[in-house]
Amino acid sequence: MTEILNRQYYLASRPKGEPNSENIPSRDVPLAALNAGEVRMRNLFISLDPAIRGWMSDEPNYIEPIALGDAVRASVIGRVVESNSENFAVGDVAMTMGGWEAYTTLPAEALNKLDESMGIPLSNFLGVLGPTGLTAYFGLMEIGQPKAGETVLVSAAAGAVGSVVGQIAKMQGCRVVGMAGTDEKCAWLTEDLGFDAAINYKTCGDFSKAIGEVCRDGVDVYFDNVGGEILDAALSCMNKFGRVAVCGWISSYNAEELPHLKNLWQLVAESITIRGFVVLDFLDRFPEGVGQLVEWLVAGKLQFKEEIVDGLDNVLPVFMKLFDGSNQGKLVLRLPED
Amino acid sequence: MTEILNRQYYLASRPKGEPNSENIPSRDVPLAALNAGEVRMRNLFISLDPAIRGWMSDEPNYIEPIALGDAVRASVIGRVVESNSENFAVGDVAMTMGGWEAYTTLPAEALNKLDESMGIPLSNFLGVLGPTGLTAYFGLMEIGQPKAGETVLVSAAAGAVGSVVGQIAKMQGCRVVGMAGTDEKCAWLTEDLGFDAAINYKTCGDFSKAIGEVCRDGVDVYFDNVGGEILDAALSCMNKFGRVAVCGWISSYNAEELPHLKNLWQLVAESITIRGFVVLDFLDRFPEGVGQLVEWLVAGKLQFKEEIVDGLDNVLPVFMKLFDGSNQGKLVLRLPED
């Protein structure tokens, strides 16, 4: 019997700024025999999310940093190839927190079985029906608390989270303005997703002025995916009792210095609430959220984009697309099934 | 009949940094005849509050800036000396938003009559039973939402707002830590007001370390009166789902540059809520708040300090005590009655 090797991309050293192949090299590790209760999956999809960059640092975070020497942590969907649990049969498909690796082996309790018979493409469970869709849903509805007629501003609006935020906000009767980094993305927001306006932040010039011109009645809810200068500009445009939902700061994950927020003073002047969150804060309400998202998806009310790139060995350059704005929608790495 | 002159301190120019007597000179203005419905008070007490510094600037704020040429705006308590309203008789005492002036003349609707027969010193209505007490009450209870056993940190804790915040937090069963600028203030907090610990921020060295040493279980609620470096340090010590109530940033009112917050990243890492507010946000609930504060005061559960300084002509140097930390408790200017 040939020894099967598990290719892994692991954290050799903590990156300063952008992670490179010295920080994240690959290795081939022989698969160990399964322990009692364990299940082994051959991974089909690996979710690439900005939060992973945060886990590479050893600063306090909402979950433990990735330990040096461990495979980089990521949500994965795989097909069971070997099982020591009566709850999983070879051929089942499941989702779990795995790694940048070909095979993920875990106790059965850590795996969530997915029902292929629903006919929903499996990768959707990593995005619009998974962490990113739930991030959009809970962040907007619980923290943003949008009311009909209010103006909702979304940064990284063409991304996996932002695009869902905007569509849900439209369903609540809000005026929705998105910020994105190319004219194509902006056109997608207004022409396909029904956003009322879009701002190309790479060409608009002064952010405060650009937001102020499009949001004539001010901003009531700002869904912040980026932090930094755009957050600062949004603060300058917020209405009294405005709400800012901060779900991750892509622009800062790779910055060794956080930018200075000149307009934080607005917090007091306009009685603004800024609340940070991660989707795990709403763990006990995931069934409610997934149920609502599936309902909207099946009703055709929720459009989304996935960018699926093939090949485990492309993981690092593909991951970096999240930080230069070159991805469109939820970024997923696909691994061959054989 | 002698013409009566109204001495006023007015805004001649907008201060950069600390206001001086060129920004705020005095003048003596003859009193005009009363219009229909107007009431004239001889002022007895003028409330000196940090927020007044904000109104001197023409940046967007929660209420209009003071117009150039107008008397500096302030809460005042006065005795009616002339009335064109059937609702006010000469000799009545009332509170209103007036100015740094000997006489305040306003339509009767703008005046709130005070009941001297309650036997409560009139100046209390400018502090513990007025804006500062209500700021403490609503900011802590509504934004901080303290739960028994949690740790509440208060900056400017010996001030008019902070000292009340700490006492209310103790009544909620919290562990309470105050930050103040002298050992005497710190001793007052722990020995007289029942705070569990106090930090002298002028001698403690590194703020994050000092807070971390006293708040071993982290900080659940931070009532922020100062912003800047202390806010930054508090952020580094906040527990998951911590709440920060921001009621005014004394340290920044006179700063032309806001300090850089390095730990704002904690917002996402720990799912923290930061909410700015002014007491007027809770205007429709003032009766509830005053009722609760009077109950605690009468029951002897609420200690407070007033610093009463005599003489309208001292107003500017007395006002500046708010910014160098030399006042203890609510700062009130008293004017002679005859």
Side-chain angles (χ1 to χ4, degrees):
Chain A
M1 184 178 152
T2 326
E3 189 182 53
I4 297 177
L5 296 174
N6 184 19
R7 170 147 299 190
Q8 296 183 314
Y9 284 80
Y10 68 101
L11 189 66
S13 59
R14 301 201 182 277
K16 306 275 183 200
E18 298 197 355
N20 58 39
S21 59
E22 285 182 34
N23 305 126
I24 318 282
S26 70
R27 66 186 171 204
D28 294 316
V29 183
L31 289 175
L34 279 196
N35 292 318
E38 282 189 338
V39 176
R40 175 164 293 144
M41 300 195 304
R42 169 102 189 200
N43 289 328
L44 304 173
F45 295 99
I46 294 176
S47 183
L48 298 179
D49 303 289
I52 295 172
R53 175 63 187 85
W55 308 335
M56 292 176 182
S57 300
D58 59 0
E59 281 161 31
N61 207 316
Y62 58 96
I63 57 175
E64 288 295 297
I66 301 165
L68 288 177
D70 279 5
V72 173
R73 185 192 295 143
S75 293
V76 301
I77 290 174
R79 190 177 300 282
V80 175
V81 292
E82 206 183 339
S83 174
N84 266 352
S85 160
E86 59 185 13
N87 295 323
F88 285 88
V90 170
D92 282 351
V93 172
M95 183 163 142
T96 191
M97 189 61 85
W100 289 6
E101 58 190 358
Y103 294 87
T104 289
T105 305
L106 281 172
E109 299 77 52
L111 273 55
N112 294 302
K113 205 178 290 190
L114 298 180
D115 183 359
E116 283 188 287
S117 75
M118 289 172 70
I120 295 176
L122 289 176
S123 57
N124 292 9
F125 289 97
L126 292 175
V128 69
L129 301 178
T132 55
L134 291 167
T135 298
Y137 177 74
F138 288 113
L140 178 68
M141 298 302 283
E142 292 304 308
I143 300 178
Q145 300 194 18
K147 291 165 200 67
E150 289 190 327
T151 297
V152 174
L153 177 70
V154 191
S155 58
V161 172
S163 61
V164 176
V165 168
Q167 292 176 84
I168 298 176
K170 283 306 296 178
M171 288 189 244
Q172 309 306 312
C174 297
R175 184 161 186 278
V176 178
V177 175
M179 300 185 76
T182 70
D183 288 344
E184 289 70 24
K185 288 181 180 182
C186 287
W188 182 60
L189 296 178
T190 53
E191 289 166 21
D192 294 340
L193 300 193
F195 280 53
D196 296 282
I199 297 168
N200 182 336
Y201 70 86
K202 289 198 176 156
T203 59
C204 70
D206 182 79
F207 294 151
S208 291
K209 206 171 149 214
I211 296 169
E213 276 168 8
V214 176
C215 304
R216 294 262 175 214
D217 297 325
V219 174
D220 299 292
V221 178
Y222 172 48
F223 194 102
D224 179 38
N225 285 299
V226 299
E229 284 178 53
I230 294 181
L231 169 59
D232 206 21
L235 282 173
S236 75
C237 298
M238 295 298 289
N239 287 331
K240 183 84 182 171
F241 300 121
R243 288 84 67 194
V244 179
V246 177
C247 99
W249 283 339
I250 293 182
S251 71
S252 304
Y253 285 131
N254 283 327
E256 301 195 53
E257 276 283 323
L258 283 169
H260 176 54
L261 297 179
K262 296 189 306 291
N263 296 317
L264 208 56
W265 157 256
Q266 287 287 99
L267 200 71
V268 184
E270 300 293 349
S271 298
I272 292 166
T273 301
I274 305 184
R275 182 172 156 195
F277 76 103
V278 292
V279 70
L280 290 176
D281 296 347
F282 299 95
L283 190 60
D284 57 344
R285 292 178 56 194
F286 276 13
E288 168 205 330
V290 173
Q292 178 63 77
L293 291 164
V294 165
E295 188 186 313
W296 284 331
L297 187 73
V298 169
K301 290 182 177 173
L302 219 45
Q303 297 184 56
F304 64 99
K305 278 193 181 171
E306 282 177 343
E307 180 169 345
I308 298 182
V309 183
D310 283 302
L312 181 57
D313 290 331
N314 295 320
V315 65
L316 191 55
V318 174
F319 177 63
M320 294 314 297
K321 289 164 73 82
L322 291 168
F323 302 99
D324 65 14
S326 67
N327 65 303
Q328 272 221 359
K330 178 70 193 95
L331 192 60
V332 177
L333 197 74
R334 180 166 53 196
L335 281 61
E337 251 214 82
D338 60 327
Chain B
M1 184 177 153
T2 325
E3 189 183 53
I4 298 178
L5 295 175
N6 184 20
R7 171 148 297 191
Q8 297 183 313
Y9 283 80
Y10 67 101
L11 190 67
S13 60
R14 300 199 182 277
K16 306 277 183 200
E18 297 196 354
N20 57 39
S21 58
E22 283 182 35
N23 305 128
I24 319 282
S26 69
R27 67 186 170 203
D28 294 315
V29 184
L31 290 174
L34 280 195
N35 292 318
E38 281 189 338
V39 176
R40 175 165 294 144
M41 301 195 304
R42 170 104 188 200
N43 289 327
L44 304 174
F45 296 100
I46 294 176
S47 182
L48 297 178
D49 303 289
I52 295 171
R53 175 63 186 85
W55 307 335
M56 292 176 182
S57 301
D58 59 0
E59 281 161 31
N61 207 315
Y62 58 96
I63 58 173
E64 288 294 298
I66 301 165
L68 289 177
D70 279 6
V72 173
R73 186 193 295 142
S75 293
V76 300
I77 291 174
R79 191 176 297 283
V80 175
V81 291
E82 206 182 340
S83 174
N84 265 352
S85 160
E86 58 186 15
N87 295 323
F88 285 88
V90 170
D92 282 350
V93 171
M95 183 165 143
T96 191
M97 189 60 86
W100 291 5
E101 58 190 358
Y103 294 88
T104 289
T105 305
L106 281 171
E109 299 78 51
L111 272 56
N112 294 303
K113 204 178 292 190
L114 298 181
D115 184 358
E116 281 189 287
S117 74
M118 289 173 70
I120 296 176
L122 288 176
S123 57
N124 291 11
F125 289 97
L126 292 174
V128 68
L129 302 178
T132 55
L134 291 167
T135 297
Y137 176 75
F138 288 112
L140 178 68
M141 299 302 284
E142 292 304 308
I143 300 178
Q145 299 193 18
K147 291 165 199 68
E150 288 190 327
T151 297
V152 175
L153 177 70
V154 191
S155 57
V161 172
S163 60
V164 176
V165 167
Q167 293 176 85
I168 299 177
K170 283 306 297 177
M171 288 189 244
Q172 309 306 312
C174 297
R175 184 161 186 277
V176 178
V177 176
M179 300 185 76
T182 70
D183 289 342
E184 289 70 24
K185 287 181 180 183
C186 287
W188 182 60
L189 296 178
T190 52
E191 289 165 23
D192 294 340
L193 300 193
F195 280 53
D196 296 282
I199 298 168
N200 182 336
Y201 70 86
K202 289 197 175 157
T203 60
C204 70
D206 182 80
F207 294 150
S208 291
K209 207 172 149 216
I211 296 170
E213 276 167 11
V214 176
C215 304
R216 295 260 176 215
D217 297 325
V219 175
D220 299 291
V221 178
Y222 172 49
F223 193 103
D224 180 39
N225 285 299
V226 298
E229 284 177 53
I230 294 182
L231 169 59
D232 207 21
L235 282 172
S236 75
C237 299
M238 295 298 291
N239 287 331
K240 183 85 183 172
F241 300 122
R243 288 84 67 196
V244 179
V246 177
C247 99
W249 284 340
I250 293 182
S251 72
S252 303
Y253 285 131
N254 283 326
E256 301 195 54
E257 275 283 323
L258 283 168
H260 176 53
L261 297 178
K262 297 189 305 292
N263 296 318
L264 209 56
W265 158 256
Q266 287 287 97
L267 200 71
V268 184
E270 300 294 348
S271 297
I272 292 166
T273 301
I274 304 183
R275 183 172 155 196
F277 76 104
V278 291
V279 70
L280 289 175
D281 296 348
F282 300 95
L283 188 60
D284 57 344
R285 292 177 56 195
F286 276 13
E288 168 204 331
V290 173
Q292 178 62 78
L293 291 165
V294 166
E295 188 185 313
W296 284 329
L297 188 73
V298 169
K301 291 182 176 172
L302 219 46
Q303 298 184 56
F304 63 98
K305 280 194 179 167
E306 282 177 343
E307 180 170 346
I308 299 183
V309 183
D310 283 302
L312 180 57
D313 289 333
N314 294 320
V315 64
L316 191 55
V318 174
F319 177 64
M320 294 314 296
K321 290 163 73 81
L322 292 167
F323 303 98
D324 65 14
S326 68
N327 65 303
Q328 272 221 359
K330 178 69 192 97
L331 192 61
V332 177
L333 197 73
R334 181 166 51 195
L335 281 62
E337 248 211 87
D338 58 330

